[in-house]
């Protein structure tokens, strides 16, 4: 399948295909973040890295409580969920009113529950593409009481991350 066949197939399926210089892509993502619209971008790694550098400033990292996923949590993800996390992986940990916690493990567990293990594995298997979720509308669900958590979970894996207006 040639490049235009792939583009034709995506457009036929209702998806837009956008080709733009790096500055235009960054401006588009920035505008989406600032407007509050929920969008997903499939980008070359270099563009995603530029977005992460712009978005994940030291202040935002601190406000979101982002920290590297520990070796223990990564091992738990691999042993209990059967998903291999490719470092670096950063996440914040939320504590529910009931005392339950939600971090990288629970994020991936919820992703598997909602989208299937194959989808989660497919994201981690991407070699040249990064997925950037802007203002994602999915909610962290407490694994202990099954209630929507009031704060947002932020994550940044090698080829999957999110950017949103922090409501911390």
């Amino acid at each position: 399948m040639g490049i235009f066949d792939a583009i034709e197939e995506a457009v036929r399926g209702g998806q837009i295909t956008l080709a733009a210089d790096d500055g235009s892509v960054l401006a588009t993502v920035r505008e989406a973040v600032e407007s509050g619209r929920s969008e997903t971008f499939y980008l070359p790694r270099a563009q995603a890295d530029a977005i992460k550098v712009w978005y994940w400033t030291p202040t935002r990292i601190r406000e979101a409580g982002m920290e590297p996923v520990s070796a223990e949590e990564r091992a738990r993800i691999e042993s209990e969920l059967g998903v291999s996390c490719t470092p670096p992986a950063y996440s914040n940990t939320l504590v529910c009113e009931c005392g339950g916690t939600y971090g990288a493990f629970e994020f991936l567990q919820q992703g598997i529950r909602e989208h299937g293990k194959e989808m989660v594995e497919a994201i981690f298997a991407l070699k040249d593409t990064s997925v950037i979720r802007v203002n994602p509308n999915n909610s962290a669900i407490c694994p202990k009481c099954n209630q929507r958590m009031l704060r947002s979970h932020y994550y940044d894996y090698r080829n999957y991350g999110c950017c949103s207006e922090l409501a911390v």
Side-chain angles (χ1 to χ4, degrees):
M1 176 183 291
I3 184 71
F4 291 113
D5 293 329
I7 291 170
E8 180 77 4
E9 185 176 323
V11 171
R12 186 177 319 117
Q15 301 298 313
I16 185 172
T17 301
L18 171 71
D21 62 81
D22 292 351
S24 296
V25 170
L26 180 58
T28 301
V29 172
R30 183 185 312 238
E31 198 276 324
V33 169
E34 293 169 353
S35 74
R37 285 191 321 270
S38 181
E39 298 183 17
T40 302
F41 296 88
Y42 300 89
L43 303 169
R45 217 174 281 298
Q47 288 178 336
D49 289 345
I51 289 163
K52 290 176 183 183
V53 166
W54 160 74
Y55 183 80
W56 286 112
T57 63
T59 300
R60 277 198 174 112
I61 290 169
R62 191 172 46 258
E63 288 174 350
M66 297 285 282
E67 295 182 354
V69 174
S70 70
E72 294 81 13
E73 188 165 20
R74 189 172 285 121
R76 182 175 177 219
I77 289 167
E78 291 181 15
S79 69
E80 292 183 35
L81 301 178
V83 175
S84 181
C85 285
T86 306
Y90 297 87
S91 175
N92 64 340
T93 300
L94 305 177
V95 179
C96 183
E97 292 175 2
C98 77
T101 60
Y102 188 100
F105 177 88
E106 292 77 18
F107 168 72
L108 291 172
Q109 184 179 50
Q110 182 177 338
I112 290 169
R113 191 172 52 250
E114 292 178 4
H115 307 290
K117 186 175 178 186
E118 298 77 23
M119 179 69 81
V120 172
E121 289 174 331
I123 295 291
F124 282 112
L126 294 171
K127 295 196 181 335
D128 300 315
T129 303
S130 290
V131 180
I132 301 291
R133 303 272 327 269
V134 173
N135 298 313
N137 54 16
N138 56 322
S139 298
I141 304 297
C142 177
K144 186 174 177 183
C145 69
N146 208 33
Q147 297 299 309
R148 179 179 176 269
M149 300 182 87
L150 299 178
R151 289 191 53 209
S152 296
H153 181 249
Y154 296 94
Y155 40 86
D156 183 15
Y157 297 103
R158 188 183 105 211
N159 46 4
Y160 189 72
C162 85
C163 305
S164 63
E165 285 299 313
L166 290 176
V168 192

